[in-house]
Amino acid sequence: VSAGMDLALALIEEDLGAEVALAVARAMVMYLRRPGDQSQYSAPLRLQAAETPSVRELVAWAAEHPATDLSVPALAQRVGKSARHLTRVFRKELGIAPAEAIEQLRLEAARRALQQSAAGLDEVAARCGFGSAEVLRRAFLRALHVTPSAYRARFSAGKELAS
DNA sequence: AGTCCACGCCGCCAGG
DNA sequence: CCCCTGGCGGCGTGGA
C-alpha cells in the first residue's frame, strides 16, 4: 500500500497520469496523515487528496490564489459552512487545521517564486499572501529552517549543493 | 525583552 | 442511535 501510494504520488509529481494517480492517492488518504513534516511531495497536490469535493476544490482554489484573504472565516464562507465545521473536516481528512494547510500552500508558492523568478522578497511575500518580507522570513524559518534568501541562493548555486 | 491583541484551534454541548 | 452541523468558551500562538 505504501509503495502504491509512493508510486501514485511520484506520478503526480511527474505530472504523468495525474488524474489516476490522484484518485489512488485520495483512496489512500488516511496514509497521508503522518506526524512529521517535510514531505517530499508538494503541499498543493498532497492536500488535494481530500475526500470531500468542496474541501478538495477549496484547496485547489486557494493554491491558485495565495494572495487573497484565506482566513478561516473567509474559507468557510466560500464553501458555505461554518468555521467550526471546516476546521473539523480539515482535521479529519487532511490531519491538519485550515490555517496550517493555507500556510503550506503559501510556502509552496513562495518556494516556486524564489526559484523561478528574480522578484524581490517584498514582492514574493505579497504575491504569496504573506503580509511582509518579515512574515515570509519567519514562516520559512519555522517550516524549512532557512531564510528565503538562503533558500534561493541554494538553487542559484546549483542543485547538487542541496541536501 | 516584555506586553498586548487578534486569530485560530478544539473540546464540549445542542439541534437537526 | 448515529452522523452532520454550528455556536461558545478557554487556551495557545504569533505578529505588532
Side-chain angles (χ1 to χ4, degrees), chain A residues 29-58:
Chain A
V29 68
M30 59 182 297
Y31 293 96
L32 290 172
R33 299 181 200 139
R34 37 193 156 199
D37 44 14
Q38 294 297 86
S39 166
Q40 63 182 114
Y41 308 107
S42 70
L45 290 169
R46 180 164 39 81
L47 296 177
Q48 284 175 49
E51 302 177 57
T52 304
S54 60
V55 172
R56 201 185 316 140
E57 291 162 12
L58 185 60

Side-chain angles (χ1 to χ4, degrees), chain A residues 70-72 75 87 90 96-106:
Chain A
L70 298 179
S71 65
V72 176
L75 293 175
T87 298
F90 265 68
I96 57 177
E100 189 178 347
I102 294 306
E103 169 111 331
Q104 291 181 14
L105 255 29
R106 287 176 165 160

Side-chain angles (χ1 to χ4, degrees), chain A residues 26 74 86-87 119 152:
Chain A
R26 205 175 293 141
L86 195 66
T87 298
R152 169 178 272 165

Side-chain angles (χ1 to χ4, degrees), chain A residues 76-145:
Chain A
Q77 184 176 15
R78 188 172 178 83
V79 294
K81 299 296 178 184
S82 69
R84 183 69 190 91
H85 187 61
L86 195 66
T87 298
R88 189 154 34 211
V89 173
F90 265 68
R91 174 63 63 188
K92 180 173 182 285
E93 299 197 6
L94 302 175
I96 57 177
E100 189 178 347
I102 294 306
E103 169 111 331
Q104 291 181 14
L105 255 29
R106 287 176 165 160
L107 244 13
E108 182 64 25
R111 286 178 47 185
R112 294 189 197 284
L114 288 171
Q115 292 179 46
Q116 301 170 4
S117 80
L121 297 186
D122 281 322
E123 192 188 334
V124 171
R127 290 208 310 234
C128 300
F130 294 93
S132 67
E134 179 58 23
V135 172
L136 172 66
R137 197 182 84 90
R138 291 188 186 184
F140 255 67
L141 285 174
R142 242 194 332 266
L144 307 173
H145 305 108

